[in-house]
Amino acid sequence: MNKRRVAWYWKILLLTTVSSLFLSGCDRQYLVFNPAGPVAQKEYDLIVLSAVLCAIVVIPVLALLFFILYRYRDRPGNKAKYSPNWHDSKILEVVWWGIPIIIIGILSIYTAKTTYTLTKPPVKDVKPITIQVTSMDWKWLFQYPGQKIATVNYAEIPVGVPVQFHLTSNQMMNSFWVPELGGQEYTMPGMAMRLWLQADRPGTYYGSGANFTGKGFTHMKFKVIAKPQAEFDQWARQIKQTEKPLTMTVYKQLAKKGLAEKQAFSSYPAQLFTNTLNENGGKYMDKDMKHGKSDMPAMNHNDHDMSGMEHKGE
Amino acid sequence: MGEKSKGFFVTGDPLIYGADVAIIVTLLGIIIFLTVFKKWGWLWKEWFTTVDHKRIGIMYLVSSLLMLFRGGVDALLMRLQLAAPNTHFLTSQHYNEIFTTHGTIMILFMAMPFMFALFNIVIPLQIGARDVAYPFLNALSFWLFFFGALLFNLSFVVGGSPDAGWLSYPPLSEIAGSPGPGQNFYIWGIQISGIGSLATGINFLVTILKMRAPGMKLMKMPLFSWSVLSSCITIIFAFPVLTVTLALLFVDRYLGAHIFTADSGNPMMYVNLIWMWGHPEVYIVVLPAFGIYSEIVSTFSKKKIFGYKSMVFSMMIISILGYFTWVHHFFTMGAGADVNTFFAITTMAIGIPTGVKIFNWLFTMFRGRITISQPMLWTIAFIPCFVVGGATGVMLAIAPADYQYHNSYFLIAHFHQTLIGGVVFGYLAGLYYWWPKMFGFKLNERLGKWAFWTWNIGFYVCFMPQYALGFMGMTRRVYTYGWDMGWAPFNMVSTVGAFLMGIGFIFQAWQILYSIKNGEKDVTGDPWNGRTLEWSIPSPAPLYNFAVIPEVKHDDDWWETKKAMADSQYKKEPPQYEPIHMPKQSGIPFIMSACWFVVGFGFTFGWSYVGLAGLLGVGLCLLARSFQQETDYYIPVDEVRKTEASLGRVG
Amino acid sequence: MNQAISKHTHEHEHHHDTFKLLGFWIFLVTDCIIFACLFAVYAVLRGHTDGDLTGKELFEIKGFTAETFILLTSSFTSGLATLALHKGKKAQLINWLIVTVVLGLAFVGLEVSEFRTMVHEGASISTNGFLSAFFTLVGTHGLHVSFGLIWMTAVILQIRRHGINEKVKEKVTIVGLYWHFLDVVWIFIYTVVYLMGVM
């Protein structure tokens, strides 16, 4: 590489850096700042609120720091007041115990509100659908109890319809995250965690596993494609007609450690999700719940009566 | 899975071969040096068997700086791998090992020993004591840490490194998810050094409670001592949980038990237990840093610390509240809205006492006379860094928002900002501050400034882009990424920053070497015009610290004494020396810890007989100690007088 | 900062004794936390039997009642040893400590045979979550007792060699404290594991 080429490369790098730092604040690339549905929107609002409230404290503190450093430097002829024994002031103490208490108080109220809201479906008047998600080493299996189809490493959802994801893992703990639709939830062996998400505009959304699961973890990416209800139904019908079924043999093959391509299946073994749960300790979760040791939702539903159910304490 | 060989020695990677060669050359160099210069006896007599808190402190310091180097190299390797998309510099397996060892080393084998170095060097001097409460146990703690760290680092050369993350959640860390000895190295390395940490916690708590100089009431105690007290209390309640958790994980792996396995056990329980230790752990390391800042701000503003009572109170609140926040590490594990809300609020509440401390530091400087020397430089850099890190911490504490931050680079940026900006800056400030007390000379100012600026600029360049990467959806622990997400520019910038910090570290190493030769000697014992007792004695302190135990009358007692001494009426009484009671040296801590190393090594490889033989050795060492009768001796008055005279202290 | 008067140095020396006791109390706090964690783990995994035998079928009332009786008695005899220590009666002190050690040995022996029987019945640490938690909890206590036995024996030998002096006094007090602590832990194990197990 000659010198000019190197210089050129650095110029490009610098340009991209500067431009991405300053120009692309609302770029699509900032997934969290591009909420595509009500869940992500609520979370985004909370992020903005908390950032603003924090800034209200941080900025004056920083200003004060620089002022003090400038004013009270130990240099000859500094006329600023020097009171070496002044070490106590009730009023000031009250002020700076008070300010954080107020701010934390405000944030607490919003936190509590949103936390409870997010356990409920984002909209009430639309019948939700359910998708069962199993994280495996190292791929994602999506099962549609309503449509009786299954996909690997991608999911399609209807626009404007709340989707309740039931999340579990067939071994390692992962975390299911689609930033533009909303925050993540862990997939854990033996538990069926509930996560409400909803897309309000059609599009393809980036999803990934967020919790480390070993060698192939980096490649656990998936796409969530949101399309209008009619197109979604059309897609499901097409899968039903054209794809092969997910048999136990195929499933066992799929469950082996390794990466997988995008796939779709016209059907899946009944009770597959429940069995995965039970094999991984799900059989104990009910009992623990009765003892009040865990407030995980009950696991032993039949696959078909799960959609649209509201669970307390998710 | 080709990279990780099944053999005893780790093979297959030129990087590792290179490191192996470097390790062997260094070891050979050290051995040849010690033999040629006949230093083995010196090493054993002066260092390996010492029970002197000051020497133990120095050994902790040296080890922690070495570990900072290794953890730092790990970090640079990771940043190199992530500098550009689709890099094949490291494989997935290698990358996983590196981030696991980076995290584990930085917290447990860098931050903890660095902190214990400062405990050891400062606390007895600051409270006017001649040693810690249990000098023998203190030496044992150090050697346990040392051999634990050695065992952990050995995984690099033999057997293979752990690769399940620094907190190693099961089922991944179970035998099915992580076969091979790597994970056992992790368990035993931490376990052995953890026992040492627990003992240190007990040791310094008792030291502070029982060995303060007469007249030093708790509320007259310097704030660093207070911070150590609160940190020790936290250690005492947190570390046993770690011990149990790791022991149970080992029982699972070794005996095939089902405590944290997915089928019959409960992996979630591990996550709860490990964070019941893990969260208090961050307060354990940050509280002493708060203490250091308090000492430095007051000294270099030539002013009393503002709101002393508030400071003490806020530290105690933090150490208590620190136990009620652990769930915020897994808001996303569906604990339910009630639980999440509770822990979100407790977590945010920790921001209150922390914020109060910031204001108190600011108002200590306010109407003071600020001298910006090296310790103060790091303290000033800490404030904005920690304020921003704290603010992002509050943002993370909001449970529903955390669903978007969890395990993303936003989180990575946050905890590096608090751990580097809060803890590392604090310990470095403490290092510069107490260095003259340890070694009797100051560290070079010019090189220190270079180190400071490269470290600081490097820090912001490295971690600010990571906040943005978090919002862009980049999750932690990915070993590579593509061009499609737009993560490339920020990652490149971040890597540049990391290397700047690396250069900062090199400047510091250079600074230390340079100052050993050319450093300004500290002949007064009080180079900074200090306020607390450690500055009233010569630098470095004599073996017995205080020829005569001081009687404390004021807070900032040395400052007041100096004021009184400036008065022409001041009459110095001639010191009345007495024989000084001191603990004898002992080789048992070293030997016993070496036996623990054998235990760890044996069980790591499943060689039970080796492990049991090690345990037998540990037992024999305990018995040997129990049967020892003469563990103390007296330094005669003559010798004390002679030493004091040679230090220019009799007159 | 005045020069301290000579008595401080002497006080300093005397303090060393109380330091050890205070430190040991704090150590007991940490040990308490260890057992608390193990109890919590047991509570969570109690029901995780995978359809195998439960505590009701596995625990033998006779066995664990005997263990409890023996350990409680040994706590009592270690108390008698402390009394003898304070009276300065060396022979009595040694005898009571020996009785304590013998009872402790009997306890450990019973526990080992209990574990062996269970393993023969196919109930080992690797069988299921419940048994893993059971063996780790009860086994940790058993290891503590075994360690205490070696420790106490060492103390007995030291009393024989040096008689009752300040150092020995401190050692007997601390090992006695440890022994009582293990007794208290056992009472919890007896209640939470065994009684609630067979009920």
Side-chain angles (χ1 to χ4, degrees):
Chain A
M1 246 198 296
N2 61 32
K3 256 186 184 164
R4 195 180 289 173
R5 281 272 296 280
V6 175
W8 178 80
Y9 178 75
W10 279 108
K11 251 183 221 164
I12 295 287
L13 187 77
L14 198 70
L15 269 178
T16 37
T17 315
V18 172
S19 61
S20 50
L21 271 171
F22 296 105
L23 303 176
S24 58
C26 317
D27 198 300
R28 253 220 80 179
Q29 287 176 334
Y30 288 86
L31 305 178
V32 174
F33 296 156
N34 277 286
V39 175
Q41 185 66 48
K42 278 205 192 76
E43 288 163 352
Y44 172 70
D45 293 346
L46 208 49
I47 289 171
V48 172
L49 175 79
S50 61
V52 169
L53 282 177
C54 284
I56 290 177
V57 184
V58 168
I59 292 168
V61 166
L62 296 186
L64 190 61
L65 170 69
F66 291 116
F67 164 73
I68 290 173
L69 284 179
Y70 169 76
R71 181 79 199 267
Y72 297 101
R73 276 294 281 278
D74 189 12
R75 49 177 116 70
N78 188 346
K79 291 209 180 62
K81 202 170 169 189
Y82 175 46
S83 12
N85 289 319
W86 180 62
H87 63 97
D88 197 15
S89 160
K90 288 277 162 317
I91 300 167
L92 285 173
E93 294 264 5
V94 168
V95 169
W96 55 65
W97 278 94
I99 295 173
I101 289 177
I102 292 168
I103 289 187
I104 301 297
I106 298 172
L107 279 174
S108 301
I109 293 166
Y110 282 98
T111 303
K113 259 189 178 162
T114 315
T115 310
Y116 283 95
T117 316
L118 292 182
T119 61
K120 298 185 194 94
V123 291
K124 292 272 152 49
D125 45 352
V126 184
K127 191 175 179 300
I129 71 161
T130 299
I131 300 177
Q132 297 165 332
V133 183
T134 311
S135 70
M136 309 201 272
D137 283 350
W138 293 282
K139 72 273 300 176
W140 293 91
L141 173 66
F142 299 88
Q143 289 164 256
Y144 291 73
Q147 287 69 24
K148 297 267 183 276
I149 57 172
T151 57
V152 171
N153 284 349
Y154 81 106
E156 304 221 350
I157 57 169
V159 167
V161 178
V163 184
Q164 192 180 41
F165 289 94
H166 294 188
L167 310 167
T168 194
S169 162
N170 81 332
Q171 256 302 305
M172 306 312 169
M173 284 184 198
N174 210 315
S175 191
F176 176 85
W177 189 27
V178 192
E180 285 153 292
L181 297 185
Q184 65 198 282
E185 185 87 29
Y186 269 69
T187 61
M188 294 196 287
M191 303 188 193
M193 318 285 289
R194 313 299 165 99
L195 176 67
W196 285 107
L197 293 178
Q198 181 180 326
D200 280 346
R201 53 171 198 258
T204 303
Y205 303 108
Y206 170 80
S208 72
N211 190 57
F212 180 62
T213 52
K215 200 168 144 67
F217 160 71
T218 301
H219 306 291
M220 282 193 71
K221 308 263 161 69
F222 58 90
K223 292 266 187 292
V224 175
I225 301 146
K227 39 177 70 165
Q229 181 77 50
E231 284 176 42
F232 170 79
D233 293 338
Q234 167 66 24
W235 166 79
R237 263 199 303 280
Q238 200 187 342
I239 300 273
K240 197 94 209 140
Q241 284 154 11
T242 57
E243 301 289 349
K244 281 184 291 216
L246 176 66
T247 60
M248 260 339 263
T249 335
V250 179
Y251 173 78
K252 284 203 174 112
Q253 196 60 35
L254 194 66
K256 282 188 185 151
K257 271 186 204 282
L259 305 180
E261 295 298 313
K262 274 192 204 169
Q263 295 164 53
F265 300 100
S266 60
S267 69
Y268 56 82
Q271 306 292 325
L272 177 60
F273 190 74
T274 319
N275 290 343
T276 310
L277 279 176
N278 283 338
E279 276 164 25
N280 292 295
K283 52 186 179 288
Y284 294 119
M285 293 304 158
D286 257 345
K287 220 180 335 164
D288 285 348
M289 209 176 68
K290 275 182 215 132
H291 292 308
K293 300 225 174 62
S294 151
D295 48 357
M296 290 306 144
M299 309 297 165
N300 55 349
H301 306 295
N302 293 326
D303 279 356
H304 40 84
D305 62 29
M306 282 173 113
S307 50
M309 282 180 61
E310 273 194 41
H311 293 274
K312 268 191 171 176
E314 280 151 35
Chain B
M1 306 245 158
E3 307 84 70
K4 203 167 159 185
S5 129
K6 294 274 174 272
F8 183 70
F9 289 98
V10 179
T11 50
D13 193 309
L15 266 177
I16 290 182
Y17 287 133
D20 286 350
V21 171
I23 290 168
I24 292 167
V25 168
T26 316
L27 278 180
L28 276 178
I30 292 171
I31 291 170
I32 291 170
F33 176 85
L34 289 172
T35 315
V36 169
F37 291 92
K38 301 211 167 68
K39 290 286 187 189
W40 283 107
W42 167 80
L43 199 63
W44 177 258
K45 261 175 77 182
E46 300 288 315
W47 295 96
F48 284 15
T49 59
T50 188
V51 289
D52 177 5
H53 68 98
K54 299 178 286 294
R55 298 218 158 167
I56 292 173
I58 290 170
M59 291 194 288
Y60 267 123
L61 182 66
V62 172
S63 325
S64 70
L65 290 177
L66 283 175
M67 287 293 97
L68 178 61
F69 173 72
R70 159 134 203 225
V73 170
D74 281 348
L76 293 182
L77 290 176
M78 280 191 278
R79 281 320 316 172
L80 264 184
Q81 166 66 17
L82 291 178
N86 304 325
T87 312
H88 295 290
F89 170 60
L90 300 177
T91 61
S92 164
Q93 177 62 34
H94 199 171
Y95 186 83
N96 298 345
E97 291 174 7
I98 287 177
F99 73 66
T100 303
T101 53
H102 168 76
T104 315
I105 284 175
M106 285 303 200
I107 294 286
L108 286 150
F109 302 125
M110 189 284 284
M112 291 297 283
F114 206 145
M115 176 178 91
F116 290 150
L118 296 170
F119 281 22
N120 268 288
I121 289 157
V122 181
I123 287 299
L125 304 184
Q126 198 169 54
I127 63 172
R130 290 200 167 117
D131 209 320
V132 295
Y134 317 113
F136 176 88
L137 186 67
N138 197 23
L140 183 61
S141 290
F142 169 74
W143 289 110
L144 283 172
F145 149 74
F146 178 85
F147 281 104
L150 191 67
L151 183 66
F152 184 85
N153 280 281
L154 198 64
S155 67
F156 185 73
V157 189
V158 295
S161 299
D163 59 356
W166 85 279
L167 282 187
S168 291
Y169 287 0
L172 186 62
S173 57
E174 290 283 359
I175 201 84
S178 303
Q183 195 57 35
N184 298 340
F185 271 119
Y186 168 91
I187 292 171
W188 281 99
I190 297 179
Q191 195 71 294
I192 291 171
S193 70
I195 299 168
S197 305
L198 190 54
T200 306
I202 298 177
N203 209 340
F204 279 85
L205 180 62
V206 177
T207 305
I208 291 173
L209 288 180
K210 286 280 179 186
M211 294 182 69
R212 277 166 291 129
M216 187 186 270
K217 302 246 165 54
L218 276 175
M219 288 313 273
K220 277 193 182 140
M221 207 161 65
L223 278 172
F224 179 67
S225 299
W226 262 111
S227 71
V228 172
L229 179 80
S230 54
S231 172
C232 285
I233 292 173
T234 318
I235 289 176
I236 286 163
F237 284 93
F239 266 77
V241 184
L242 177 70
T243 308
V244 174
T245 313
L246 293 176
L248 291 179
L249 183 61
F250 186 70
V251 168
D252 268 7
R253 292 176 59 88
Y254 188 62
L255 300 173
H258 299 275
I259 291 162
F260 302 128
T261 58
D263 46 9
S264 188
N266 190 336
M268 193 61 205
M269 198 161 57
Y270 179 93
V271 179
N272 271 295
L273 284 171
I274 199 85
W275 280 116
M276 280 183 205
W277 161 77
H279 197 78
E281 165 68 10
V282 305
Y283 296 114
I284 289 170
V285 292
V286 85
L287 281 168
F290 290 167
I292 294 167
Y293 297 127
S294 305
E295 300 290 328
I296 290 174
V297 160
S298 166
T299 302
F300 291 95
S301 306
K302 298 191 188 60
K303 191 162 162 276
K304 261 190 147 135
I305 191 81
F306 199 89
Y308 176 87
K309 281 182 198 156
S310 239
M311 290 298 237
V312 171
F313 184 56
S314 60
M315 280 194 288
M316 296 318 275
I317 294 187
I318 292 173
S319 73
I320 294 166
L321 215 50
Y323 287 101
F324 299 97
T325 61
W326 83 91
V327 171
H328 72 226
H329 294 274
F330 43 95
F331 281 145
T332 50
M333 285 190 183
D338 302 334
V339 176
N340 277 0
T341 307
F342 174 82
F343 282 96
I345 293 172
T346 53
T347 307
M348 286 190 273
I350 287 208
I352 300 169
T354 316
V356 168
K357 299 188 84 68
I358 300 269
F359 282 113
N360 278 331
W361 287 316
L362 287 178
F363 275 75
T364 304
M365 292 192 264
F366 184 76
R367 293 189 187 163
R369 278 295 174 270
I370 304 167
T371 323
I372 302 190
S373 55
Q374 291 186 78
M376 191 60 176
L377 212 50
W378 290 90
T379 306
I380 293 168
F382 146 79
I383 293 177
C385 198
F386 200 75
V387 165
V388 174
T392 55
V394 169
M395 290 168 73
L396 272 156
I398 299 168
D402 178 68
Y403 301 160
Q404 289 283 32
Y405 306 130
H406 185 81
N407 274 353
S408 78
Y409 262 80
F410 186 89
L411 171 76
I412 303 296
H414 158 73
F415 74 67
H416 280 95
Q417 186 153 21
T418 48
L419 284 174
I420 295 178
V423 177
V424 178
F425 283 15
Y427 293 175
L428 288 176
L431 180 69
Y432 286 111
Y433 185 57
W434 283 300
W435 184 277
K437 188 49 62 188
M438 291 180 227
F439 299 106
F441 62 88
K442 278 190 186 181
L443 286 170
N444 180 277
E445 191 87 18
R446 195 171 46 87
L447 285 168
K449 287 213 163 122
W450 276 98
F452 171 80
W453 286 109
T454 36
W455 255 99
N456 267 272
I457 296 170
F459 172 81
Y460 286 98
V461 174
C462 182
F463 291 105
M464 293 306 113
Q466 296 190 3
Y467 281 115
L469 284 170
F471 289 126
M472 296 168 98
M474 182 163 172
T475 48
R476 69 195 295 195
R477 294 171 176 175
V478 292
Y479 79 97
T480 190
Y481 54 92
W483 285 102
D484 54 333
M485 302 300 294
W487 299 342
F490 281 137
N491 271 303
M492 179 52 98
V493 173
S494 179
T495 301
V496 171
F499 274 85
L500 274 176
M501 289 163 76
I503 293 170
F505 182 77
I506 292 172
F507 270 121
Q508 283 177 317
W510 182 12
Q511 180 191 22
I512 290 173
L513 294 177
Y514 179 85
S515 309
I516 288 175
K517 271 198 95 166
N518 311 311
E520 182 196 331
K521 292 273 173 297
D522 167 32
V523 286
T524 60
D526 187 12
W528 313 113
N529 195 4
R531 312 176 72 86
T532 41
L533 287 181
E534 72 267 34
W535 305 112
S536 70
I537 52 172
S539 305
L543 177 65
Y544 45 78
N545 300 348
F546 295 87
V548 177
I549 297 287
E551 193 149 9
V552 174
K553 294 210 173 103
H554 314 271
D555 29 345
D556 288 346
D557 195 70
W558 175 236
W559 180 260
E560 301 294 334
T561 308
K562 279 191 286 190
K563 269 206 302 205
M565 277 156 71
D567 190 356
S568 55
Q569 302 289 309
Y570 183 78
K571 224 170 60 218
K572 200 174 179 223
E573 293 168 42
Q576 294 183 334
Y577 298 128
E578 305 225 340
I580 294 174
H581 183 228
M582 296 299 286
K584 270 190 186 164
Q585 311 218 134
S586 172
I588 295 177
F590 181 87
I591 298 167
M592 186 154 112
S593 307
C595 291
W596 271 113
F597 178 85
V598 175
V599 175
F601 191 76
F603 283 116
T604 291
F605 284 94
W607 304 333
S608 305
Y609 288 107
V610 177
L612 291 174
L615 276 177
L616 185 69
V618 172
L620 289 176
C621 286
L622 281 173
L623 285 176
R625 176 64 183 177
S626 178
F627 279 92
Q628 258 176 9
Q629 287 295 306
E630 303 301 317
T631 52
D632 315 281
Y633 72 105
Y634 280 90
I635 304 179
V637 173
D638 278 354
E639 205 181 315
V640 176
R641 188 168 291 132
K642 239 194 289 176
T643 315
E644 289 294 296
S646 75
L647 294 167
R649 289 278 162 159
V650 181
Chain C
M1 196 180 72
N2 279 357
Q3 310 299 344
I5 330 157
S6 62
K7 68 172 198 260
H8 292 308
T9 3
H10 292 300
E11 269 178 10
H12 178 79
E13 248 174 86
H14 282 290
H15 276 164
H16 263 293
D17 313 335
T18 49
F19 287 179
K20 286 232 168 82
L21 200 58
L22 176 65
F24 194 75
W25 272 108
I26 302 175
F27 164 76
L28 286 186
V29 170
T30 66
D31 218 11
C32 242
I33 298 169
I34 286 183
F35 278 108
C37 291
L38 290 172
F39 272 107
V41 167
Y42 180 79
V44 171
L45 296 181
R46 240 184 75 150
H48 292 207
T49 53
D50 292 1
D52 296 326
L53 297 178
T54 61
K56 203 169 185 168
E57 290 126 353
L58 285 168
F59 302 149
E60 282 177 38
I61 299 180
K62 242 195 270 169
F64 70 75
T65 313
E67 283 171 43
T68 309
F69 181 72
I70 290 169
L71 200 65
L72 286 180
T73 314
S74 81
S75 201
F76 179 67
T77 55
S78 103
L80 290 176
T82 315
L83 273 182
L85 174 78
H86 289 306
K87 286 187 193 144
K89 291 182 178 160
K90 180 179 163 186
Q92 217 177 43
L93 168 63
I94 292 178
N95 289 340
W96 281 124
L97 285 180
I98 290 175
V99 174
T100 310
V101 168
V102 170
L103 287 170
L105 273 174
F107 170 84
V108 173
L110 273 180
E111 191 163 77
V112 168
S113 83
E114 181 202 355
F115 281 10
R116 280 180 61 154
T117 323
M118 282 175 75
V119 172
H120 274 297
E121 286 167 13
S124 75
I125 193 166
S126 58
T127 308
N128 54 41
F130 154 65
L131 285 168
S132 302
F134 167 80
F135 279 109
T136 41
L137 172 59
V138 182
T140 305
H141 178 266
L143 284 176
H144 271 76
V145 174
S146 312
F147 179 77
L149 289 176
I150 300 171
W151 184 5
M152 212 176 259
T153 314
V155 171
I156 293 172
L157 292 176
Q158 286 174 46
I159 304 170
R160 284 185 55 171
R161 194 182 292 177
H162 305 291
I164 298 176
N165 58 25
E166 283 302 310
K167 262 195 168 152
V168 162
K169 252 186 184 167
E170 188 181 71
K171 283 182 183 183
V172 175
T173 313
I174 289 177
V175 80
L177 195 60
Y178 179 73
W179 203 256
H180 292 309
F181 167 74
L182 293 182
D183 211 47
V184 173
V185 173
W186 180 260
I187 289 170
F188 279 95
I189 291 181
Y190 173 72
T191 320
V192 174
V193 177
Y194 288 106
L195 278 187
M196 286 167 72
V198 293
M199 275 196 309

